[in-house]
Amino acid sequence: MANRQRNSSSPHRGFLPARFERGHGPGLPLTAGVLATVVATLLFALVAAGIAADGALVRLDLELAAWFNRHAFSPLTELMLGYTHLHGTIGVLAMGALLLWRMARERQWYWVAELWLVVPGGMLLNFGLKHVFMRPRPHLDNPILVLHSYSFPSGHTIGATLLYAVLAAYLLSQPALSRRIGAWLRAGRRGTQAAVIGAALLLVALTALSRVYLGVHFLSDVLGAMLLGAAWFALCTTAIFTVFRHYRAQARSN
């Protein structure tokens, strides 16, 4: 009787440890993905609440927008214009299409599904949220660019966030590519990972900076877009990873 009670309670005692098992399907990868999604979503909600409250965050937005507008100068303005246009909808989708072509050529269907769901799906989500929040763009005395669409969250910034997140994850998942990058950088595995992730973060940060510098977005617009992009990327990646792993396990058992 005692043995039966111990056996029946063991699954309950092992539930939390199982959530952190690396080789377990619904273990550490699923737990990390869910936590990342929840944390990024909550932070995005905090930014949105700060905008709605019209408090310190909004005052910081206005001060930064005015500061960048006063200190804009050539040729930095022309560089920012070129960089920001590269990360518009057409630019991000074109770069995504090139990456998709490589993934399809290598028959890496997991990554094809990942790219399709993450980049266009996240950009559509962002477009929908713009019409939910309906935040006007910055109004400046001497604007560099004038746009009449809604401001929050930033479409350019979320596009860059989604594209470079998928690209970084893809590069790090390919042993041959990772070794090639590591050899070029003369770095080990951890150094390669840090370099790839750092480069992706830098490219996203430059996109966000270009939008604020050009006066078409507030700081909170680009922060919100980065957090929304991170949440969407984590959600999609976790879902696709879980589904593909489940089907692989079923195929092996059959």
Side-chain angles (χ1 to χ4, degrees):
M1 182 70 176
N3 289 337
R4 189 179 306 166
Q5 289 176 344
R6 281 195 297 269
N7 291 337
S8 64
S9 62
S10 60
H12 298 285
R13 290 203 308 268
F15 177 80
L16 285 178
R19 303 286 71 77
F20 295 93
E21 289 182 11
R22 290 180 178 273
H24 185 41
L28 183 61
L30 179 60
T31 302
V34 170
L35 286 175
T37 304
V38 171
V39 170
T41 302
L42 288 176
L43 291 174
F44 172 79
L46 283 175
V47 173
I51 294 171
D54 198 18
L57 181 58
V58 173
R59 289 194 296 273
L60 178 61
D61 279 342
L62 295 171
E63 290 172 5
L64 274 178
W67 188 90
F68 276 110
N69 186 250
R70 287 196 307 270
H71 292 85
F73 65 94
S74 182
L76 181 58
T77 299
E78 287 73 21
L79 290 173
M80 287 292 184
L81 282 167
Y83 189 82
T84 204
H85 288 320
L86 178 64
H87 292 85
T89 301
I90 295 175
V92 166
L93 292 179
M95 288 186 283
L98 290 174
L99 183 56
L100 184 70
W101 172 78
R102 177 185 171 85
M103 293 171 176
R105 189 183 66 174
E106 299 292 330
R107 307 180 76 81
Q108 295 176 321
W109 306 122
Y110 168 90
W111 287 104
V112 169
E114 168 89 351
L115 184 61
W116 265 112
L117 186 59
V118 169
V119 178
M123 293 173 76
L124 284 172
L125 173 63
N126 187 82
F127 180 78
L129 287 176
K130 279 180 178 286
H131 290 79
V132 171
F133 291 102
M134 295 189 295
R135 187 187 195 187
R137 291 187 184 266
H139 180 74
L140 301 167
D141 293 333
N142 299 297
I144 300 172
L145 284 178
V146 177
L147 300 176
H148 300 289
S149 54
Y150 295 125
S151 187
F152 180 82
S154 165
H156 284 62
T157 306
I158 196 172
T161 301
L162 298 170
L163 176 67
Y164 293 126
V166 174
L167 178 59
Y170 175 72
L171 291 175
L172 293 175
S173 73
Q174 309 297 305
L177 286 173
S178 293
R179 284 194 298 270
R180 197 176 305 168
I181 295 170
W184 180 65
L185 296 173
R186 297 183 181 179
R189 181 171 175 270
R190 296 199 174 195
T192 301
Q193 290 176 339
V196 170
I197 294 171
L201 291 173
L202 177 62
L203 291 169
V204 173
L206 287 173
T207 306
L209 175 63
S210 73
R211 303 308 286 168
V212 178
Y213 175 92
L214 294 170
V216 290
H217 280 294
F218 294 111
L219 174 65
S220 56
D221 296 336
V222 298
L223 288 177
M226 286 187 280
L227 291 168
L228 180 63
W232 181 253
F233 170 75
L235 175 64
C236 295
T237 303
T238 303
I240 293 174
F241 175 86
T242 303
V243 169
F244 270 72
R245 187 157 190 160
H246 173 72
Y247 280 115
R248 278 201 305 265
Q250 279 192 332
R252 288 170 186 165
S253 63
N254 294 334

